[in-house]
Amino acid sequence: MTAKIKPSKGSPYARILGVGGYRPTRVVPNEEILKHIDSSDEWIRSRSGIASRHWAGPDETVAEMSLEAAGKAIAEAGITAGQIGGVIVSTVSHFKQTPAVATEIAHRIGAGRPAAFDISAGCAGFTYGLTLAKGMITEGSAEYVLVIGVERLSDLTDLEDRATAFLFGDGAGAVVVGPAKEPEMGPTVWGSEGDKSETIKQTVSWDAYRDRTDVRFPAITQEGQTVFRWAVYEMAKIAQQALDAAGMTTDDLDVFIPHQANMRIIDSMVKTLKLPEHVTVARDVETTGNTSAASIPLAMERLLATGQAKSGDTALVIGFGAGLVYAATVVTLP
């Protein structure tokens, strides 16, 4: 007789219990960017909605920024680091291929011996991490999971590239995901379109930079108009699918937290989705820039801290970017 696998003893549901963020102390206004490109503050604002961004100093490493954000999220969740059974870090700007920065973070916060790993899903990485954390909790392999989105994109910014020099910022956002008695995180609608992988990419691979002396340090580049059209039209469809999967309509929403790529993209998605006026829309990109995997948790933290959103609100979150990859879900705010 074939033995049967023992069923898992995880929680039937999961939710976000706490959120924390860290923005580097250095604020970089558009005027500083204009020292390197032929443009204007008006042009940058009209194209992106960005007025300033934060850039990390030498001591504000990927790990240090993550620790600051994680500490706030753990405290807000009302748990101890020792209760964390998983640490997931989404980043494209941790320059060590191995070991994962998640293992360093797990050790330094005193989490014991949790599962710890990094993921590379670009600007959708945080939402990917949320989904993985939910799965860990519902299957019973962890009771609490720390999910971090962190970037030092200033290290990968070509200051002479007029199309991207003004876009990117640095920072870290973190949440603690734990068990829930009711559904607090909807199904995730996620996927990829690898045929468009060239639209957002690193200019040269690390081995090309190693082997050749005639190439500049790698930077992030993108085909702006192609990405804009894809984000506005295709991602609005994905956002609607996430609402449908959760059994909700736009009228049921309190908050919309899209990846903070560009103000024009955000405003166009709001229009395409026909969001009601009562829905609060995150527009953190104005003073934070595009922080890739960190943008959603940073925007979430700011909405809650400023009172624009409150605990228990229903929020639609969607991340999208290099890959091209995307992920959307409906969550209850901590």
Side-chain angles (χ1 to χ4, degrees):
M1 180 178 177
T2 303
K4 293 184 178 181
I5 296 174
K6 184 178 179 180
S8 64
K9 294 184 178 180
S11 169
Y13 307 114
R15 69 163 297 166
I16 300 173
L17 299 173
V19 60
Y22 179 80
R23 292 172 172 81
T25 56
R26 180 186 175 194
V27 176
V28 179
N30 288 340
E31 287 73 17
E32 187 166 340
I33 304 297
L34 294 173
K35 296 176 182 178
H36 307 279
I37 58 173
D38 181 16
S39 187
S40 67
D41 178 64
E42 180 183 5
W43 187 88
I44 293 174
R45 289 174 185 258
S46 66
R47 298 290 292 184
S48 68
I50 298 173
S52 62
R53 71 287 293 149
H54 296 255
W55 281 358
D59 296 330
E60 293 170 312
T61 64
V62 165
E64 294 299 334
M65 291 191 292
S66 296
L67 289 167
E68 291 288 338
K72 296 175 184 177
I74 293 168
E76 187 175 286
I79 66 168
T80 66
Q83 293 175 271
I84 293 173
V87 177
I88 303 171
V89 177
S90 178
T91 184
V92 298
S93 49
H94 176 57
F95 287 171
K96 285 185 179 179
Q97 195 74 35
T98 191
V101 71
T103 59
E104 176 186 347
I105 293 165
H107 170 68
R108 292 180 62 185
I109 64 174
R113 300 174 64 183
F117 56 95
D118 297 351
I119 59 175
S120 177
C123 305
F126 174 76
T127 317
Y128 269 53
L130 277 184
T131 305
L132 295 172
K134 176 185 175 184
M136 294 168 72
I137 290 161
T138 57
E139 76 156 18
S141 63
E143 185 176 12
Y144 299 99
V145 180
L146 176 65
V147 181
I148 300 171
V150 57
E151 302 291 3
R152 270 184 58 117
L153 294 181
S154 57
D155 291 334
L156 291 168
T157 298
D158 181 352
L159 290 177
E160 296 178 1
D161 180 1
R162 189 172 183 270
T164 62
F166 57 89
L167 286 177
F168 303 120
D170 302 337
V175 298
V176 171
V177 180
K181 296 180 180 179
E182 299 178 354
E184 307 278 7
M185 297 176 68
T188 299
V189 177
W190 56 354
S192 65
E193 298 183 29
D195 59 314
K196 300 179 180 66
S197 62
E198 293 296 300
T199 57
I200 306 174
K201 63 181 181 180
Q202 187 171 302
T203 50
V204 296
S205 63
W206 294 114
D207 57 348
Y209 180 73
R210 177 194 63 191
D211 297 336
R212 294 174 54 186
T213 59
D214 62 332
V215 297
R216 299 179 65 177
F217 190 79
I220 297 174
T221 185
Q222 70 175 20
E223 298 174 13
Q225 286 303 312
T226 301
V227 173
F228 178 87
R229 288 192 294 269
W230 175 78
V232 170
Y233 299 109
E234 296 303 319
M235 292 305 97
K237 297 176 186 176
I238 299 302
Q240 184 60 56
Q241 289 176 30
L243 283 172
D244 294 342
M248 293 186 171
T249 69
T250 53
D251 289 333
D252 298 314
L253 287 179
D254 300 303
V255 185
F256 179 45
I257 311 178
H259 162 51
Q260 302 293 292
N262 179 304
M263 195 75 79
R264 291 173 62 211
I265 290 176
I266 294 170
D267 290 340
S268 295
M269 288 183 71
V270 169
K271 183 177 180 180
T272 302
L273 285 167
K274 299 179 181 178
L275 292 184
E277 289 187 7
H278 75 262
V279 177
T280 298
V281 179
R283 292 188 170 87
D284 192 47
V285 66
E286 181 180 5
T287 56
T288 305
N290 180 343
T291 56
S292 188
S295 79
I296 290 175
L298 280 173
M300 183 184 296
E301 184 217 29
R302 176 161 282 173
L303 288 175
L304 290 166
T306 58
Q308 297 176 72
K310 63 183 184 300
S311 175
D313 278 354
T314 299
L316 169 63
V317 300
I318 179 169
F320 47 87
L324 294 171
V325 296
Y326 56 85
T329 187
V330 176
V331 301
T332 300
L333 295 184

